[in-house]
Amino acid sequence: MLWIAIRMLTGDAQKFYGLLFGIAFSTLLITQQMTIFVNLVQRGASGVYNAPEAEVWVMDPVSRTTDVSYAMPPTALDKVRSVQGVEWAVPHLRAVANVRTKEGDLEGVGVIGVDDATLIGLPARMAKGDKSVLFAPDAVAVDDTGSLRFFPPEIDPVGQRLELNDQRAVIRGIADSIPSFTSTVVLYTRYSNALNFVPGTRNRLSFVLVGVSEGQTPSEVAARIERETGLKARTREEFAQAGIDFIIENTGIPTNFGITVFLGFVVGVAIVGLTFSLFIRDNIKQFGALKAIGVTNAKIVRMVAAQAGLVGLIGYALGVIGTVVFILAFSANPFFKGFYIPWQVPLISLVAVAIILAITGFIALRSVLKTEPAAVFR
Amino acid sequence: MAILPRNLSFSRQILPILAVIGVIVAAWYIISGQPDREIVEPAEQPPKAVGALADAPRVAGAGVVEPASEVIDIGSALSGLVTEVRVRPGDRVAQGEVLFRVDDRAARASLAQADAAISEARAAISEAMTAQRTARQQLDLYRSLTDPAAVSRAEVIRAEGEEAAATSRLGLARARLAAARAAAATARTETERLTVRAPIAGEILAVNIRPGEFVATQGGSSQPFIQMGDTDPLHVRIDIDENEVARVKLGAPAVISPRGAAELHVEAQFVRAEPQVVPKRSLTNSAAERVDVRVLQLIYALPESEDFRVGQQVDAFIAAKDGPTDAED
């Protein structure tokens, strides 16, 4: 009986592919837009993820994110080191500076000063060169997306000379980092170098990165640091979330993407609803005939559900594959660097597809259930 | 079409199968593409408290290695050209050993001049003594005569005058000798002052002068000529934030690690705490350093070790008093 329903569905190729297109399109729209949205707001946490060793971030109480921070006096480092449960603590400087290239162009860059001795605070991997290149005098490592903005692709950035606050800086390596939200060029250098590169203000220490002793949890240690030093301490997850929240609060991105996702849903409902209703109406005679031979309403509901299920399965698959292909196709583009599809997103779009089909199926079914067997003769 | 079943339909059979395969492939791609956000262990050892301090209340501070005598900037009492430098950086010198000499030709010339004046004064003395003796003999002769008519009264007066003149000439010559001797002593002191000697036994840390250079006693803005200090033992001067001062257990040993070699942990013995809380001297090398942090400086003695050098920065951990904050944990 269900097979008859499937034959009925695929019998009209135009409407069948119309239905598939509707579902596929709204799945693609919802999945792809939500993926980009999630990845975009997660750029706000890139600074946290780019320092993979730090379990707790300590900052001035008014600091909010990796990029919105207020510097602390240098002894804050020793205060943090004095707290029990802190295995190690290293200084971390994040500031902005103006850099002058060889051509004389001026460009704003982010300068990140990592611990002199251990280089804690560098991204996990280097795209070019080794981490130890930073031990050379005046050495900086540029982030990979930033280097593309700085230099045309035919120029190798390694070995290029820059001028930062009247100081010479030589690019010695390229860091494989997650781009920041604003995708400014980021220069990684040692803390002592960074102090020279960044114009002098009284306090320079932006963050203290902390490793937690064995047997302690980061949140316990963060709470103890806050209590004993009066500074603000956040675990890695909390601070990443703070960066994301900052973007959500201060940009129009959630509204924009929310509207698009909603439109995808509406388009899905409209196209699928219309086509499905038309399809059911065209087949109302067949349903009448089925009723005439004694098929119950429950069975008809199951038939329509099978039709909806098939359309949903194929349409959803096409939409998800479309998103995957989209992400794959653009993975080489620096703007999309590090983009991934969170596993929750396809599940959300699956639920959306189910809702679309449930709504449209329910609307279409109403007329079928009311049909009398006599409809065959009309 | 023999391979395929007769009634194979694209939209009814192939498409759903493709859809299922597509969903599986997509799911695999999505799951394998989740970003790696694991916390990684630091590749190099950062400074950390070890041993008993690792799990006990503690205070951390940064410090600099210095000689036990602190660094002595050797100065020169007089200005002039350097003629000889006797020491090199790293030399160990005894107290009083010559470090360098400043050009002493002028001082030697005035010494020779004073010596000549001494000889001259001596000659004048012997001349005056001779004259005095002659005058006295003559006077004695006149006085021994019993017959007053034997010599005229005028002759006696002349002889008396000659004796008095010779006596006063002798006094003058003696005074000149004393003056010349004093001048010679001055010149000798001057030569001595042009030789700079080690004030204590110790190690030469820096030599910033070379023969032919001019050392000036004025100004003082330039770098010191020679730096030395007693490097046995070495001390470290540890800065403790003023807010943490109350927590430090004064007298307890400190665990010290040099910068860049955090795996090295040396126990240093407490020497003293500076009586004054001073503004923190930041080691950023910036010319316009402004501070609003004050620190207490604690001095610790390092054990014999090849790993520390004067001026090196260190990280230190010191035991803290058991404060009320720890009771909450």
mmCIF file of all heavy atoms in Angstrom, chain A residues 10 42 49 52 73 75 78 81-84 86-88 118 195 202 227 236 340-341, chain B residues 12 30 34-35 37 40 45 47-48 55 58-60 241 244 284 290 292 315 326 328-329:
data_model
loop_
_atom_site.group_PDB
_atom_site.id
_atom_site.type_symbol
_atom_site.label_atom_id
_atom_site.label_comp_id
_atom_site.label_asym_id
_atom_site.label_seq_id
_atom_site.Cartn_x
_atom_site.Cartn_y
_atom_site.Cartn_z
ATOM 1 N N THR A 10 5.991 9.707 -7.208
ATOM 2 C CA THR A 10 6.978 9.878 -8.275
ATOM 3 C C THR A 10 6.332 9.866 -9.644
ATOM 4 O O THR A 10 6.991 10.161 -10.629
ATOM 5 C CB THR A 10 8.030 8.767 -8.211
ATOM 6 O OG1 THR A 10 7.346 7.516 -8.162
ATOM 7 C CG2 THR A 10 8.903 8.918 -6.987
ATOM 8 N N GLN A 42 31.998 32.596 16.239
ATOM 9 C CA GLN A 42 33.094 31.924 16.946
ATOM 10 C C GLN A 42 34.436 32.578 16.668
ATOM 11 O O GLN A 42 35.396 32.340 17.384
ATOM 12 C CB GLN A 42 33.143 30.447 16.558
ATOM 13 C CG GLN A 42 32.030 29.687 17.226
ATOM 14 C CD GLN A 42 32.387 28.248 17.465
ATOM 15 O OE1 GLN A 42 33.351 27.742 16.936
ATOM 16 N NE2 GLN A 42 31.599 27.592 18.272
ATOM 17 N N TYR A 49 41.219 30.417 21.438
ATOM 18 C CA TYR A 49 41.600 29.114 20.877
ATOM 19 C C TYR A 49 43.003 29.139 20.296
ATOM 20 O O TYR A 49 43.627 28.099 20.127
ATOM 21 C CB TYR A 49 40.592 28.684 19.813
ATOM 22 C CG TYR A 49 39.243 28.363 20.410
ATOM 23 C CD1 TYR A 49 38.085 28.915 19.894
ATOM 24 C CD2 TYR A 49 39.142 27.512 21.502
ATOM 25 C CE1 TYR A 49 36.854 28.631 20.450
ATOM 26 C CE2 TYR A 49 37.922 27.223 22.070
ATOM 27 C CZ TYR A 49 36.778 27.783 21.537
ATOM 28 O OH TYR A 49 35.567 27.491 22.100
ATOM 29 N N PRO A 52 46.558 27.618 22.887
ATOM 30 C CA PRO A 52 45.986 26.339 23.310
ATOM 31 C C PRO A 52 46.466 25.842 24.670
ATOM 32 O O PRO A 52 45.907 24.895 25.194
ATOM 33 C CB PRO A 52 46.406 25.380 22.204
ATOM 34 C CG PRO A 52 47.638 25.976 21.639
ATOM 35 C CD PRO A 52 47.502 27.461 21.791
ATOM 36 N N PRO A 73 49.350 46.176 35.975
ATOM 37 C CA PRO A 73 50.757 46.403 36.320
ATOM 38 C C PRO A 73 51.541 45.096 36.264
ATOM 39 O O PRO A 73 50.965 44.010 36.402
ATOM 40 C CB PRO A 73 50.707 46.953 37.744
ATOM 41 C CG PRO A 73 49.354 46.687 38.240
ATOM 42 C CD PRO A 73 48.457 46.503 37.079
ATOM 43 N N THR A 75 53.390 43.497 38.192
ATOM 44 C CA THR A 75 53.460 42.588 39.338
ATOM 45 C C THR A 75 52.237 41.677 39.416
ATOM 46 O O THR A 75 52.224 40.747 40.223
ATOM 47 C CB THR A 75 53.574 43.365 40.652
ATOM 48 O OG1 THR A 75 52.585 44.378 40.646
ATOM 49 C CG2 THR A 75 54.929 43.964 40.838
ATOM 50 N N ASP A 78 53.212 38.104 39.239
ATOM 51 C CA ASP A 78 53.704 37.469 40.467
ATOM 52 C C ASP A 78 52.563 37.173 41.431
ATOM 53 O O ASP A 78 52.588 36.177 42.145
ATOM 54 C CB ASP A 78 54.739 38.364 41.136
ATOM 55 C CG ASP A 78 55.975 38.518 40.269
ATOM 56 O OD1 ASP A 78 56.310 37.539 39.601
ATOM 57 O OD2 ASP A 78 56.574 39.597 40.250
ATOM 58 N N ARG A 81 51.031 34.049 40.259
ATOM 59 C CA ARG A 81 51.908 32.902 40.541
ATOM 60 C C ARG A 81 51.847 32.503 42.004
ATOM 61 O O ARG A 81 52.154 31.379 42.354
ATOM 62 C CB ARG A 81 53.349 33.258 40.182
ATOM 63 C CG ARG A 81 53.623 33.135 38.714
ATOM 64 C CD ARG A 81 55.071 33.416 38.420
ATOM 65 N NE ARG A 81 55.310 33.242 36.998
ATOM 66 C CZ ARG A 81 56.391 33.677 36.373
ATOM 67 N NH1 ARG A 81 57.324 34.314 37.048
ATOM 68 N NH2 ARG A 81 56.545 33.481 35.093
ATOM 69 N N SER A 82 51.490 33.459 42.866
ATOM 70 C CA SER A 82 51.459 33.165 44.295
ATOM 71 C C SER A 82 50.242 32.350 44.694
ATOM 72 O O SER A 82 50.177 31.857 45.808
ATOM 73 C CB SER A 82 51.455 34.472 45.080
ATOM 74 O OG SER A 82 52.572 35.242 44.749
ATOM 75 N N VAL A 83 49.256 32.232 43.793
ATOM 76 C CA VAL A 83 48.008 31.583 44.172
ATOM 77 C C VAL A 83 48.177 30.071 44.105
ATOM 78 O O VAL A 83 48.762 29.540 43.161
ATOM 79 C CB VAL A 83 46.870 32.043 43.239
ATOM 80 C CG1 VAL A 83 45.595 31.287 43.556
ATOM 81 C CG2 VAL A 83 46.664 33.528 43.370
ATOM 82 N N GLN A 84 47.647 29.408 45.107
ATOM 83 C CA GLN A 84 47.731 27.943 45.146
ATOM 84 C C GLN A 84 46.899 27.340 44.019
ATOM 85 O O GLN A 84 45.817 27.835 43.707
ATOM 86 C CB GLN A 84 47.173 27.454 46.471
ATOM 87 C CG GLN A 84 48.228 26.871 47.367
ATOM 88 C CD GLN A 84 47.637 26.474 48.676
ATOM 89 O OE1 GLN A 84 47.110 27.333 49.381
ATOM 90 N NE2 GLN A 84 47.710 25.216 49.000
ATOM 91 N N VAL A 86 47.890 27.192 40.981
ATOM 92 C CA VAL A 86 48.431 27.693 39.720
ATOM 93 C C VAL A 86 49.732 26.952 39.474
ATOM 94 O O VAL A 86 50.671 27.091 40.242
ATOM 95 C CB VAL A 86 48.680 29.210 39.797
ATOM 96 C CG1 VAL A 86 49.423 29.688 38.565
ATOM 97 C CG2 VAL A 86 47.371 29.943 39.948
ATOM 98 N N GLU A 87 49.746 26.136 38.420
ATOM 99 C CA GLU A 87 50.987 25.409 38.159
ATOM 100 C C GLU A 87 52.005 26.351 37.549
ATOM 101 O O GLU A 87 53.142 26.405 37.967
ATOM 102 C CB GLU A 87 50.729 24.215 37.240
ATOM 103 C CG GLU A 87 51.969 23.333 37.162
ATOM 104 C CD GLU A 87 51.835 22.238 36.146
ATOM 105 O OE1 GLU A 87 50.847 22.221 35.392
ATOM 106 O OE2 GLU A 87 52.739 21.388 36.096
ATOM 107 N N TRP A 88 51.580 27.066 36.537
ATOM 108 C CA TRP A 88 52.468 28.073 35.958
ATOM 109 C C TRP A 88 51.624 29.245 35.505
ATOM 110 O O TRP A 88 50.411 29.125 35.320
ATOM 111 C CB TRP A 88 53.275 27.496 34.792
ATOM 112 C CG TRP A 88 52.479 26.753 33.767
ATOM 113 C CD1 TRP A 88 52.340 25.397 33.658
ATOM 114 C CD2 TRP A 88 51.689 27.292 32.690
ATOM 115 N NE1 TRP A 88 51.533 25.077 32.604
ATOM 116 C CE2 TRP A 88 51.120 26.226 31.988
ATOM 117 C CE3 TRP A 88 51.430 28.595 32.248
ATOM 118 C CZ2 TRP A 88 50.298 26.393 30.879
ATOM 119 C CZ3 TRP A 88 50.602 28.768 31.149
ATOM 120 C CH2 TRP A 88 50.043 27.663 30.479
ATOM 121 N N THR A 118 59.101 30.424 27.109
ATOM 122 C CA THR A 118 58.388 29.203 26.744
ATOM 123 C C THR A 118 57.538 29.359 25.501
ATOM 124 O O THR A 118 57.057 28.373 24.958
ATOM 125 C CB THR A 118 57.463 28.780 27.887
ATOM 126 O OG1 THR A 118 56.533 29.840 28.109
ATOM 127 C CG2 THR A 118 58.238 28.532 29.158
ATOM 128 N N LEU A 195 56.932 44.761 23.954
ATOM 129 C CA LEU A 195 56.974 45.995 24.737
ATOM 130 C C LEU A 195 57.605 47.123 23.931
ATOM 131 O O LEU A 195 57.238 48.279 24.066
ATOM 132 C CB LEU A 195 57.775 45.774 26.021
ATOM 133 C CG LEU A 195 57.146 44.837 27.051
ATOM 134 C CD1 LEU A 195 58.098 44.636 28.205
ATOM 135 C CD2 LEU A 195 55.830 45.383 27.552
ATOM 136 N N ARG A 202 51.736 53.086 30.561
ATOM 137 C CA ARG A 202 52.318 52.746 31.843
ATOM 138 C C ARG A 202 52.277 51.241 32.102
ATOM 139 O O ARG A 202 53.273 50.610 32.356
ATOM 140 C CB ARG A 202 51.587 53.483 32.945
ATOM 141 C CG ARG A 202 52.338 53.462 34.235
ATOM 142 C CD ARG A 202 51.586 54.213 35.270
ATOM 143 N NE ARG A 202 50.322 53.577 35.494
ATOM 144 C CZ ARG A 202 49.274 54.165 36.021
ATOM 145 N NH1 ARG A 202 49.340 55.415 36.351
ATOM 146 N NH2 ARG A 202 48.164 53.526 36.205
ATOM 147 N N ARG A 227 39.533 35.595 44.109
ATOM 148 C CA ARG A 227 39.391 35.922 45.521
ATOM 149 C C ARG A 227 40.692 36.485 46.095
ATOM 150 O O ARG A 227 40.687 37.438 46.858
ATOM 151 C CB ARG A 227 38.998 34.651 46.274
ATOM 152 C CG ARG A 227 38.442 34.909 47.658
ATOM 153 C CD ARG A 227 37.839 33.652 48.238
ATOM 154 N NE ARG A 227 38.810 32.589 48.330
ATOM 155 C CZ ARG A 227 38.625 31.362 47.842
ATOM 156 N NH1 ARG A 227 37.517 31.052 47.213
ATOM 157 N NH2 ARG A 227 39.554 30.438 47.965
ATOM 158 N N ARG A 236 39.040 28.883 30.120
ATOM 159 C CA ARG A 236 39.112 28.958 28.667
ATOM 160 C C ARG A 236 37.723 28.992 28.036
ATOM 161 O O ARG A 236 37.437 29.829 27.188
ATOM 162 C CB ARG A 236 39.884 27.714 28.225
ATOM 163 C CG ARG A 236 40.176 27.567 26.803
ATOM 164 C CD ARG A 236 40.979 26.275 26.695
ATOM 165 N NE ARG A 236 40.772 25.616 25.443
ATOM 166 C CZ ARG A 236 41.566 25.776 24.400
ATOM 167 N NH1 ARG A 236 42.564 26.590 24.467
ATOM 168 N NH2 ARG A 236 41.339 25.116 23.280
ATOM 169 N N TYR A 340 33.846 25.180 9.825
ATOM 170 C CA TYR A 340 33.434 23.785 9.929
ATOM 171 C C TYR A 340 31.936 23.775 10.138
ATOM 172 O O TYR A 340 31.333 24.805 10.465
ATOM 173 C CB TYR A 340 34.154 23.098 11.089
ATOM 174 C CG TYR A 340 33.712 23.583 12.445
ATOM 175 C CD1 TYR A 340 32.825 22.830 13.220
ATOM 176 C CD2 TYR A 340 34.147 24.800 12.938
ATOM 177 C CE1 TYR A 340 32.407 23.282 14.454
ATOM 178 C CE2 TYR A 340 33.732 25.263 14.174
ATOM 179 C CZ TYR A 340 32.865 24.504 14.929
ATOM 180 O OH TYR A 340 32.441 24.958 16.132
ATOM 181 N N ILE A 341 31.308 22.601 9.931
ATOM 182 C CA ILE A 341 29.867 22.496 10.148
ATOM 183 C C ILE A 341 29.662 21.899 11.533
ATOM 184 O O ILE A 341 29.972 20.739 11.755
ATOM 185 C CB ILE A 341 29.207 21.597 9.085
ATOM 186 C CG1 ILE A 341 29.568 22.114 7.686
ATOM 187 C CG2 ILE A 341 27.694 21.557 9.274
ATOM 188 C CD1 ILE A 341 29.102 21.227 6.570
ATOM 189 N N ARG B 12 12.448 6.359 -7.717
ATOM 190 C CA ARG B 12 11.916 5.561 -6.608
ATOM 191 C C ARG B 12 12.986 4.761 -5.898
ATOM 192 O O ARG B 12 12.882 4.514 -4.708
ATOM 193 C CB ARG B 12 10.834 4.615 -7.127
ATOM 194 C CG ARG B 12 9.494 5.278 -7.237
ATOM 195 C CD ARG B 12 8.399 4.259 -7.376
ATOM 196 N NE ARG B 12 8.483 3.511 -8.627
ATOM 197 C CZ ARG B 12 8.020 3.975 -9.784
ATOM 198 N NH1 ARG B 12 7.462 5.168 -9.844
ATOM 199 N NH2 ARG B 12 8.123 3.264 -10.877
ATOM 200 N N ILE B 30 31.213 15.884 8.406
ATOM 201 C CA ILE B 30 30.933 16.859 9.469
ATOM 202 C C ILE B 30 31.596 16.421 10.772
ATOM 203 O O ILE B 30 32.236 17.212 11.463
ATOM 204 C CB ILE B 30 29.405 17.022 9.644
ATOM 205 C CG1 ILE B 30 28.840 17.769 8.442
ATOM 206 C CG2 ILE B 30 29.082 17.761 10.934
ATOM 207 C CD1 ILE B 30 27.342 17.686 8.310
ATOM 208 N N GLN B 34 35.130 18.419 12.854
ATOM 209 C CA GLN B 34 34.986 19.225 14.069
ATOM 210 C C GLN B 34 36.356 19.742 14.507
ATOM 211 O O GLN B 34 37.344 19.021 14.442
ATOM 212 C CB GLN B 34 34.361 18.387 15.201
ATOM 213 C CG GLN B 34 32.949 17.899 14.909
ATOM 214 C CD GLN B 34 31.945 19.033 14.688
ATOM 215 O OE1 GLN B 34 31.784 19.896 15.519
ATOM 216 N NE2 GLN B 34 31.295 19.019 13.534
ATOM 217 N N PRO B 35 36.436 21.007 14.936
ATOM 218 C CA PRO B 35 37.748 21.586 15.229
ATOM 219 C C PRO B 35 38.361 20.974 16.486
ATOM 220 O O PRO B 35 37.654 20.531 17.385
ATOM 221 C CB PRO B 35 37.443 23.068 15.448
ATOM 222 C CG PRO B 35 36.019 23.102 15.856
ATOM 223 C CD PRO B 35 35.344 21.954 15.182
ATOM 224 N N ARG B 37 39.970 21.485 19.737
ATOM 225 C CA ARG B 37 40.119 22.541 20.743
ATOM 226 C C ARG B 37 40.619 21.983 22.060
ATOM 227 O O ARG B 37 40.299 22.469 23.119
ATOM 228 C CB ARG B 37 38.793 23.262 20.913
ATOM 229 C CG ARG B 37 38.577 24.134 19.695
ATOM 230 C CD ARG B 37 37.433 25.017 19.749
ATOM 231 N NE ARG B 37 37.423 25.781 18.507
ATOM 232 C CZ ARG B 37 36.356 26.273 17.966
ATOM 233 N NH1 ARG B 37 35.194 26.092 18.549
ATOM 234 N NH2 ARG B 37 36.417 26.965 16.848
ATOM 235 N N VAL B 40 46.582 21.905 25.124
ATOM 236 C CA VAL B 40 47.850 21.204 24.943
ATOM 237 C C VAL B 40 48.808 21.573 26.067
ATOM 238 O O VAL B 40 48.730 22.641 26.644
ATOM 239 C CB VAL B 40 48.479 21.512 23.575
ATOM 240 C CG1 VAL B 40 47.554 21.116 22.467
ATOM 241 C CG2 VAL B 40 48.852 22.968 23.467
ATOM 242 N N GLN B 45 59.098 24.118 29.575
ATOM 243 C CA GLN B 45 58.752 24.223 30.982
ATOM 244 C C GLN B 45 58.637 25.693 31.413
ATOM 245 O O GLN B 45 59.612 26.414 31.370
ATOM 246 C CB GLN B 45 59.909 23.552 31.725
ATOM 247 C CG GLN B 45 59.629 23.003 33.056
ATOM 248 C CD GLN B 45 58.482 22.040 33.117
ATOM 249 O OE1 GLN B 45 57.648 22.213 33.958
ATOM 250 N NE2 GLN B 45 58.444 21.037 32.259
ATOM 251 N N PRO B 47 58.237 28.647 34.391
ATOM 252 C CA PRO B 47 58.618 28.643 35.805
ATOM 253 C C PRO B 47 57.443 28.242 36.686
ATOM 254 O O PRO B 47 56.320 28.686 36.470
ATOM 255 C CB PRO B 47 59.040 30.093 36.070
ATOM 256 C CG PRO B 47 58.591 30.878 34.921
ATOM 257 C CD PRO B 47 58.366 29.958 33.791
ATOM 258 N N LYS B 48 57.691 27.380 37.627
ATOM 259 C CA LYS B 48 56.625 26.947 38.513
ATOM 260 C C LYS B 48 57.198 26.609 39.879
ATOM 261 O O LYS B 48 58.385 26.329 40.008
ATOM 262 C CB LYS B 48 55.898 25.749 37.919
ATOM 263 C CG LYS B 48 56.811 24.575 37.588
ATOM 264 C CD LYS B 48 56.021 23.354 37.223
ATOM 265 C CE LYS B 48 55.771 23.219 35.750
ATOM 266 N NZ LYS B 48 55.405 21.887 35.326
ATOM 267 N N ASP B 55 52.309 22.935 46.573
ATOM 268 C CA ASP B 55 50.960 22.762 47.087
ATOM 269 C C ASP B 55 50.773 23.488 48.418
ATOM 270 O O ASP B 55 49.986 23.092 49.249
ATOM 271 C CB ASP B 55 50.662 21.259 47.246
ATOM 272 C CG ASP B 55 49.180 20.993 47.075
ATOM 273 O OD1 ASP B 55 48.554 21.754 46.322
ATOM 274 O OD2 ASP B 55 48.679 20.051 47.699
ATOM 275 N N ARG B 58 52.189 30.404 48.951
ATOM 276 C CA ARG B 58 53.485 30.909 48.496
ATOM 277 C C ARG B 58 53.322 32.297 47.911
ATOM 278 O O ARG B 58 52.219 32.738 47.611
ATOM 279 C CB ARG B 58 54.064 29.971 47.445
ATOM 280 C CG ARG B 58 53.140 29.877 46.259
ATOM 281 C CD ARG B 58 53.671 29.002 45.182
ATOM 282 N NE ARG B 58 52.817 29.137 44.014
ATOM 283 C CZ ARG B 58 52.067 28.167 43.526
ATOM 284 N NH1 ARG B 58 52.062 26.989 44.087
ATOM 285 N NH2 ARG B 58 51.323 28.383 42.464
ATOM 286 N N VAL B 59 54.460 32.977 47.771
ATOM 287 C CA VAL B 59 54.500 34.300 47.163
ATOM 288 C C VAL B 59 55.521 34.225 46.045
ATOM 289 O O VAL B 59 56.592 33.648 46.214
ATOM 290 C CB VAL B 59 54.907 35.366 48.199
ATOM 291 C CG1 VAL B 59 55.047 36.717 47.543
ATOM 292 C CG2 VAL B 59 53.894 35.427 49.324
ATOM 293 N N ALA B 60 55.169 34.776 44.885
ATOM 294 C CA ALA B 60 56.087 34.755 43.760
ATOM 295 C C ALA B 60 56.645 36.148 43.533
ATOM 296 O O ALA B 60 56.004 37.149 43.849
ATOM 297 C CB ALA B 60 55.375 34.274 42.508
ATOM 298 N N ASP B 241 55.585 42.446 45.337
ATOM 299 C CA ASP B 241 54.536 43.465 45.266
ATOM 300 C C ASP B 241 54.127 43.877 46.678
ATOM 301 O O ASP B 241 53.989 43.038 47.562
ATOM 302 C CB ASP B 241 53.336 42.879 44.512
ATOM 303 C CG ASP B 241 52.288 43.926 44.230
ATOM 304 O OD1 ASP B 241 51.821 44.546 45.195
ATOM 305 O OD2 ASP B 241 51.937 44.106 43.051
ATOM 306 N N GLU B 244 51.562 42.034 48.586
ATOM 307 C CA GLU B 244 51.843 40.662 48.989
ATOM 308 C C GLU B 244 52.799 40.611 50.178
ATOM 309 O O GLU B 244 53.051 39.541 50.714
ATOM 310 C CB GLU B 244 52.477 39.897 47.819
ATOM 311 C CG GLU B 244 51.611 39.836 46.586
ATOM 312 C CD GLU B 244 50.654 38.680 46.635
ATOM 313 O OE1 GLU B 244 51.079 37.553 46.421
ATOM 314 O OE2 GLU B 244 49.466 38.919 46.925
ATOM 315 N N THR B 284 61.906 46.826 31.348
ATOM 316 C CA THR B 284 61.455 46.880 29.967
ATOM 317 C C THR B 284 62.394 47.670 29.098
ATOM 318 O O THR B 284 62.203 47.778 27.902
ATOM 319 C CB THR B 284 60.081 47.535 29.884
ATOM 320 O OG1 THR B 284 60.188 48.827 30.478
ATOM 321 C CG2 THR B 284 59.052 46.724 30.613
ATOM 322 N N ARG B 290 57.222 54.711 33.684
ATOM 323 C CA ARG B 290 56.499 55.296 34.811
ATOM 324 C C ARG B 290 55.879 54.159 35.592
ATOM 325 O O ARG B 290 55.394 53.194 35.021
ATOM 326 C CB ARG B 290 55.402 56.236 34.310
ATOM 327 C CG ARG B 290 55.970 57.527 33.764
ATOM 328 C CD ARG B 290 54.879 58.413 33.275
ATOM 329 N NE ARG B 290 54.173 57.792 32.168
ATOM 330 C CZ ARG B 290 53.063 58.265 31.653
ATOM 331 N NH1 ARG B 290 52.516 59.338 32.144
ATOM 332 N NH2 ARG B 290 52.477 57.662 30.645
ATOM 333 N N ASP B 292 53.526 52.818 39.123
ATOM 334 C CA ASP B 292 52.740 53.113 40.302
ATOM 335 C C ASP B 292 52.692 51.883 41.197
ATOM 336 O O ASP B 292 51.841 51.753 42.039
ATOM 337 C CB ASP B 292 51.332 53.574 39.939
ATOM 338 C CG ASP B 292 50.534 52.472 39.282
ATOM 339 O OD1 ASP B 292 51.136 51.456 38.920
ATOM 340 O OD2 ASP B 292 49.321 52.638 39.145
ATOM 341 N N ASP B 315 63.077 34.052 38.373
ATOM 342 C CA ASP B 315 61.746 33.939 38.965
ATOM 343 C C ASP B 315 61.910 33.231 40.298
ATOM 344 O O ASP B 315 62.645 32.254 40.395
ATOM 345 C CB ASP B 315 60.825 33.128 38.061
ATOM 346 C CG ASP B 315 60.545 33.868 36.772
ATOM 347 O OD1 ASP B 315 60.038 34.988 36.855
ATOM 348 O OD2 ASP B 315 60.840 33.324 35.683
ATOM 349 N N ASP B 326 43.716 30.932 53.153
ATOM 350 C CA ASP B 326 43.880 29.520 52.849
ATOM 351 C C ASP B 326 42.887 28.651 53.601
ATOM 352 O O ASP B 326 42.626 27.522 53.220
ATOM 353 C CB ASP B 326 45.291 29.085 53.205
ATOM 354 C CG ASP B 326 46.292 29.958 52.499
ATOM 355 O OD1 ASP B 326 46.300 29.942 51.268
ATOM 356 O OD2 ASP B 326 47.010 30.688 53.184
ATOM 357 N N GLU B 328 39.841 29.008 53.700
ATOM 358 C CA GLU B 328 38.595 28.796 52.954
ATOM 359 C C GLU B 328 38.672 27.593 52.022
ATOM 360 O O GLU B 328 37.660 27.026 51.664
ATOM 361 C CB GLU B 328 38.279 30.038 52.113
ATOM 362 C CG GLU B 328 38.005 31.254 52.976
ATOM 363 C CD GLU B 328 38.029 32.523 52.154
ATOM 364 O OE1 GLU B 328 37.684 32.448 50.974
ATOM 365 O OE2 GLU B 328 38.392 33.567 52.693
ATOM 366 N N ASP B 329 39.898 27.253 51.606
ATOM 367 C CA ASP B 329 39.996 26.177 50.613
ATOM 368 C C ASP B 329 39.768 24.811 51.249
ATOM 369 O O ASP B 329 40.337 24.498 52.243
ATOM 370 C CB ASP B 329 41.373 26.211 49.964
ATOM 371 C CG ASP B 329 41.544 27.513 49.226
ATOM 372 O OD1 ASP B 329 40.527 28.028 48.763
ATOM 373 O OD2 ASP B 329 42.671 28.025 49.136
#
